[in-house]
Structure formats: C-alpha cells, structure tokens
Amino acid sequence: VELRDLRALATVVRSGSFTAAALELGYTQSAVSQQVAALEREVGQRLLERRPVRPTPAGLRLAEHAGRILLRVDVVRSELTRMKDTGQELRVDACPLAVPDALATALRELRRDRPSLHVTVRSTGAGSAVNRLATGATDVAVIDGITAPETPLAPTEPGLFSATGLTEEPLAVALPEDHPLAGRPWLDLSMLADAPWMALPELATESAMPAARSAVTYEGNDVATVLHLVAAGHGTALLPAPVSLRARGVVAVPVRHPPLVHRTEVLTLRSADPPVTTLVEALRIRARPM
Amino acid sequence: VELRDLRALATVVRSGSFTAAALELGYTQSAVSQQVAALEREVGQRLLERRPVRPTPAGLRLAEHAGRILLRVDVVRSELTRMKDTGQELRVDACPLAVPDALATALRELRRDRPSLHVTVRSTGAGSAVNRLATGATDVAVIDGITAPETPLAPTEPGLFSATGLTEEPLAVALPEDHPLAGRPWLDLSMLADAPWMALPELATESAMPAARSAVTYEGNDVATVLHLVAAGHGTALLPAPVSLRARGVVAVPVRHPPLVHRTEVLTLRSADPPVTTLVEALRIRARPM
DNA sequence: ACTGTTTACGGAGACCGTAAGTATC
DNA sequence: GATACTTACGGTCTCCGTAAACAGT
C-alpha cells in the first residue's frame, strides 16, 4: 500500500468519477484506474462499483482511513515547512460571524508587541478551515457553528488540531414581523418543523436542523442578505441572537429547545506546542519566532 | 512522500541504526539510506544526525506522525481482511492481572450462544496490545495498568481504538513483614521515595513511579515471583490490593496518596462498530458474524 | 452513439542491490 | 583500523501515458 494509491481511491470516492479524480491529481484516467486496480488486487476485494462509481463497504472504509492518513501527511508537511521559516508572517482565517471584534482586539495587542509582523486575515467558511490549516494555507482559524453547549465543533481527527472554545451565545430564530409566532417570548424548533427554512449553510453543521427547505435557497454567509430575505417572508433563519436583533422587518425570538448555542472556536495545528486557551495566546504562539 | 520512506525513517528512528532498520524491513542498508535521503531532499531539511544516528527535531516530529500513519495503515488492513473472513474465530489477548475471572465468565456466556466458535486466549503485556490489535494479530485485548481514577490507560490515537473501562481496584504496596511501615493502616507513596522499588514493569505505565530502582530487577509479570522477592526483602512492589493480600511473609498496605487505581480495560479496534460497554458485548461483536 | 472505464503495450524512470568511497569511533 | 553510513552505477521492474477495446446510458 502506498500513499499514491490511497490518494487515488480517496479522490475517486470523493468526486465519484475516475475522470474527475485523474484531472484533480494530474494523471490520466488510465493511471487512476490502474492505481485503484492495484489496491483492489492488494486487499483482495472490490473497492469500487463502477458505472455508477460508488464505493463498496470496504472501499468506503478504506477511503475514510485514507482521508485521515492524507490529512496527517498534509499536517506534517506544513509543520516541517513552518520549522524552517523565519515566521514574520501570520495568516488568520475567520468566519464572518465569529467574533470579529475579539479578533481585531487580539490582533491589536499582538501588533503592539511585534510591530514588524505581517498579518493576513481572510474570511472563509468553517468547512474549509480544517483543510487550509492542514495544508499550511493558514496558521489560525476562528470558526463558528451551532452546537450543544460546551460541545466542541469539528470532531475532526483529535490529536491533529487543537480547538479552544471562545464564546457561546444563545440562538434566535429570525422571523418576519407578521409571522404568527413573532410575538412569542421564546419558541422550540419543533414548532417550526414545517416552516420554510433558510439557514446560513456554513453555520448548519451536523446539528439536526429541520429538513424542510425554503423555496428560496441561500448560499453564502452574509447575514444582511439573509435577514432581508427573511423580512420579505421567504423563510426563517437560525442565527446567534445578538446578530439577528439588528434588522428591520425581522423579529428575533430566542430558541428554548433543543439546547443549542452559537459557538466560536480557535482552531490551530496542534504541532508540538503547548495547549492554547485564549485567542491572543493562539495568535502569539503561531507567530513564532520572535 | 510515500509510505515506504516513512516506514524507513520511523524504523531508523526507533532502532537508532540504518543497518538494524534495513534488516527489519528486508532491505539493504544502502536502500534505507537512499530512502531517508529522498525524504530529506523532499522536505528540504536534515531529518537524522548520523554517527550517532539521532533524529533532528524535524525528524522526530516526522517520525511521530509516520508512526501514527503506519499504525492506521495496519488498522485498515486488518479491518479489510476481517470483512471477508467468515469469522468463526475469536482471539483475545489478556494481561495476567486483568480480571481473568471476568474473562472466563464472559467467555462461558459467549460459548453458550455460539458453541462452534473457536476462541484463543493469549497472555500478553499491555504494551504490545495496541500493535497486536492494529496488525490484526488479535481481536480483543484486556489490559491493565496503574492510573488515576476514571482516567483511561493508553492515550494512543483516539479514534482508532475503543477503550472501555471494566474495573478499578485500590492499590496497595507490598512490604516485607518486618518493614518499618508494615504496621500502618495506609501510606503515601512519597514515604517510599527512597525505598528500593520493584514494580511489575508491565504495570508501571507513564504514571510517575518512584525513580529509585531496586538492586534486584524483575522482568516479567508473574505476581507470585514478585511477592516472594518482596518477602525476602529485595524491594517493595505496587500491586492491586486484592492480589497482594494473598501472600505469606508480605504485608499489603493501602496507598492513600497519590490517588491511583489498578484499572482494567477492554481494547478493540473501533472499526465501524457501535461502541462497546461490557466485556461480553465486546467479545460478541468481535466474533461476528453468527 | 457517446461518455467513461478497462486492458494492452511500450518507454522512461524509479528503486534496489552490489560495490567502492568516506567518515567517525 | 573497523564499523557504519554514503555515493556510484547498473539492471530490473514498476508505473504512467497512448491507444484500442469495452460497457453502460
């Protein structure tokens, strides 16, 4: 078993196509086909059903492990390249809803100590944070999501990443002013089970959200846009309470049940560094050396 | 980066010698040297200091990651081979001090349901359990060790293994009858800081044990032998209280501080199976299919 | 018929072993 | 000077690309 073959399998499973995987990996279809065939020969069982391309149970399992393995390879690469860099640079990924004020404050404190440091902040979705950290595309990610209280987001590969909780805020449902439930002091999500739903896709992690989709689908993570859509009656949205309060034509009703919060976390590569507890600390450590 | 190179580096780091690594891997020294050189070229920095052979910081880090990666590769291999086996066999590794009675009872219950199942039990040390599980050399391991209460042994690679606590028993220090502390109702380990120590090496995990070694070193895990040595005044030993009670010429004094227990756990590959809570359940699940 | 995967085949190159070179104890 | 790692070099075999065969939509 070699990494090249695992990469091939994982890519095919993810993309659902030999051709697409080959394109992504910079091989010909033929090569990818041979790599997968070699893997199947080695493990002695079929890993993919063809036409349509779909993993067998064994193939799915192997692809999952392969993903973890390749993620770790990315991580160690970026760790090693970091080791020889001088490090007068710090790159931060930040989700738009994730404590921009706290980040700004922390950066000011950091820059006071180290004026020569060059800092890059980039807005991203929480989904790509893990991969961007692993490949070394960024140093620190500030992500957010909806989860149960005290429950970390991103259960991805413990040991590779260090995730530290920053804040947890209550949730509210944004409703149009004329919605029948708009006057209530609180509500349970089950009351909205059949309502047209229009969450920020980046926020809605694995937490069980109502399955019903709005006729208007929103893609992106701009809160203002979503609130305007809600005000116009296209659907309802689940948002951190402080944010959803500020909008005209929209009423924010706190969510009582299930117990969910809007949680923000700092995510960094664990590396061999000491554990991190605050945002400033995370930034400072990743900005080594002096 | 390919797995072959990672294997080479990890083996060299572990064995501290190119020659030994080559022997272990079935290559010539030259080949191993070239593999490591290729890795160093690829990451652009030295990974090993030669003569003496010792990893650089980067090399050590890479070797650690490589170990995790190769462990996962072993795991997925054994998972896949298990998938096509009929499974009329169950192999259990058990540490001698780890609830042999409970294991026997659980096996009896299992065999009542499935008389045709062939069961192999093998006595091992806790140290090799992880590797034997990963390579598929065994299906279930019942291990023991000394740890803080409610604290799992073996922090190895979460996500790959499922560890379930079975029992926790108080600890006692086995002392010769004529020892000055033999009459006490309890004692703290710090009182024995300078005493000649002779623990079961398999038991003494990372928990900070007194560094002082007895003049008589014992290797193995036979309790009777150790107790005889203690009775003869060659040293003292830390053992689960129920065990150390039964011996002539030896007094068992409970340990009050630090809070430590003798803990036993079931260890299996996590695979895609549901989590396990009892020993019988673990055995039954690993013995699939009917 | 066309899109997409497999198989056949050939060449370039990776990779390992032998053996000579070199440094350290 | 001996041991142990590195470098040089050549043969083999892997591995990928081209191209033809093949299957499913």
Side-chain angles (χ1 to χ4, degrees):
Chain A
V1 181
E2 286 301 326
L3 286 180
R4 178 190 45 257
D5 304 322
L6 296 181
R7 230 182 304 264
L9 177 71
T11 310
V12 171
V13 168
R14 178 158 39 79
S15 67
S17 152
F18 281 68
T19 310
L23 199 63
E24 179 178 335
L25 296 171
Y27 288 123
T28 60
Q29 305 97 326
S30 172
V32 174
S33 180
Q34 293 176 60
Q35 290 166 354
V36 173
L39 255 187
E40 289 181 324
R41 222 172 334 115
E42 183 156 352
V43 303
Q45 51 194 312
R46 214 165 168 70
L47 297 172
L48 292 174
E49 297 297 340
R50 278 72 186 234
R51 204 174 296 270
V53 173
R54 172 214 306 273
T56 64
L60 187 61
R61 193 81 193 121
L62 181 50
E64 288 170 3
H65 280 283
R68 305 292 183 96
I69 288 171
L70 297 168
L71 187 69
R72 187 178 283 275
V73 171
D74 284 341
V75 165
V76 68
R77 286 179 100 121
S78 70
E79 277 189 26
L80 291 189
T81 59
R82 163 189 297 277
M83 278 186 173
K84 49 179 181 181
D85 281 1
T86 57
Q88 286 302 330
E89 188 190 15
L90 174 68
R91 294 157 302 171
V92 183
D93 279 24
C95 296
L97 279 179
V99 292
D101 50 344
L103 177 60
T105 308
L107 283 178
R108 192 175 54 196
E109 184 172 338
L110 181 68
R111 279 180 46 83
R112 186 160 11 91
D113 298 349
R114 306 192 35 196
S116 70
L117 185 71
H118 183 244
V119 179
T120 308
V121 179
R122 178 192 165 104
S123 275
T124 52
S128 59
V130 165
N131 274 328
R132 287 178 49 83
L133 279 173
T135 56
T138 194
D139 301 310
V140 179
V142 188
I143 64 169
D144 64 345
I146 294 177
T147 177
E150 303 294 321
T151 307
L153 311 163
T156 319
E157 196 66 5
L160 279 184
F161 300 96
S162 103
T164 306
L166 291 179
T167 65
E168 292 193 354
E169 294 163 337
L171 282 185
V173 175
L175 299 172
E177 281 177 336
D178 53 356
H179 192 281
L181 293 172
R184 292 186 55 99
W186 52 260
L187 51 79
D188 296 345
L189 280 193
S190 53
M191 301 175 183
L192 289 163
D194 301 326
W197 201 259
M198 188 166 42
L200 289 182
E202 294 286 358
L203 267 186
T205 41
E206 316 83 39
S207 21
M209 310 230 45
R213 287 272 151 191
S214 162
V216 177
T217 301
Y218 174 72
E219 296 186 352
N221 51 14
D222 182 68
V223 180
T225 303
V226 169
L227 288 181
H228 279 100
L229 291 174
V230 169
H234 295 299
T236 61
L238 194 61
L239 293 170
V243 169
S244 42
L245 281 176
R246 312 190 288 265
R248 297 190 317 164
V250 175
V251 177
V253 181
V255 175
R256 196 189 61 168
H257 191 86
L260 290 176
V261 295
H262 175 250
R263 181 180 166 96
T264 61
E265 289 181 356
V266 199
L267 220 62
T268 67
L269 287 188
R270 249 173 87 72
S271 186
D273 297 323
V276 156
T277 56
T278 71
L279 180 53
V280 196
E281 206 176 303
L283 297 178
R284 185 169 289 141
I285 288 182
R286 304 276 66 164
R288 290 175 316 166
M290 288 228 317
Chain B
V1 180
E2 285 302 324
L3 286 181
R4 179 190 44 258
D5 304 322
L6 296 181
R7 230 183 305 265
L9 176 71
T11 310
V12 171
V13 169
R14 179 158 39 79
S15 68
S17 151
F18 281 67
T19 311
L23 199 63
E24 179 179 335
L25 296 172
Y27 289 123
T28 61
Q29 305 96 323
S30 172
V32 175
S33 179
Q34 293 175 61
Q35 289 165 356
V36 173
L39 255 186
E40 289 180 326
R41 248 202 333 270
E42 184 156 352
V43 303
Q45 51 194 313
R46 216 166 166 69
L47 297 172
L48 294 173
E49 297 297 340
R50 284 78 198 258
R51 203 174 295 270
V53 173
R54 173 216 306 271
T56 64
L60 187 60
R61 193 80 193 122
L62 181 50
E64 288 171 3
H65 280 282
R68 304 292 182 94
I69 287 171
L70 297 168
L71 187 69
R72 188 177 283 273
V73 171
D74 284 341
V75 165
V76 68
R77 287 180 99 122
S78 70
E79 277 188 27
L80 291 188
T81 59
R82 164 190 296 278
M83 278 187 175
K84 50 178 182 182
D85 281 1
T86 57
Q88 286 302 332
E89 188 190 16
L90 175 68
R91 296 157 301 172
V92 183
D93 279 25
C95 295
L97 279 179
V99 290
D101 49 346
L103 178 60
T105 308
L107 284 177
R108 193 175 54 196
E109 184 172 338
L110 182 68
R111 281 181 45 81
R112 184 156 18 87
D113 298 347
R114 309 198 24 203
S116 70
L117 184 73
H118 184 243
V119 179
T120 308
V121 178
R122 178 190 164 103
S123 275
T124 52
S128 59
V130 166
N131 273 327
R132 288 179 48 83
L133 279 173
T135 56
T138 193
D139 300 310
V140 178
V142 187
I143 65 168
D144 64 343
I146 294 178
T147 177
E150 303 293 322
T151 307
L153 311 162
T156 320
E157 197 64 7
L160 278 185
F161 301 96
S162 102
T164 307
L166 291 179
T167 65
E168 291 193 354
E169 294 163 337
L171 282 183
V173 175
L175 300 170
E177 281 178 335
D178 53 356
H179 193 281
L181 293 173
R184 295 186 53 101
W186 53 261
L187 52 78
D188 295 345
L189 280 192
S190 53
M191 301 175 182
L192 288 163
D194 303 326
W197 201 261
M198 188 167 41
L200 289 184
E202 294 286 357
L203 266 188
T205 41
E206 316 83 40
S207 21
M209 310 230 44
R213 287 272 151 191
S214 161
V216 178
T217 300
Y218 174 72
E219 296 185 353
N221 49 14
D222 182 70
V223 180
T225 304
V226 169
L227 288 180
H228 278 102
L229 291 173
V230 169
H234 294 300
T236 60
L238 194 61
L239 292 171
V243 168
S244 42
L245 282 175
R246 313 189 288 264
R248 296 189 319 165
V250 175
V251 177
V253 181
V255 175
R256 196 190 57 169
H257 193 86
L260 290 176
V261 294
H262 175 249
R263 180 180 165 97
T264 62
E265 288 181 358
V266 200
L267 221 62
T268 67
L269 288 187
R270 247 171 87 74
S271 186
D273 298 323
V276 157
T277 57
T278 71
L279 181 52
V280 196
E281 207 176 304
L283 297 178
R284 185 168 290 142
I285 286 184
R286 305 276 63 166
R288 289 175 317 165
M290 287 227 319

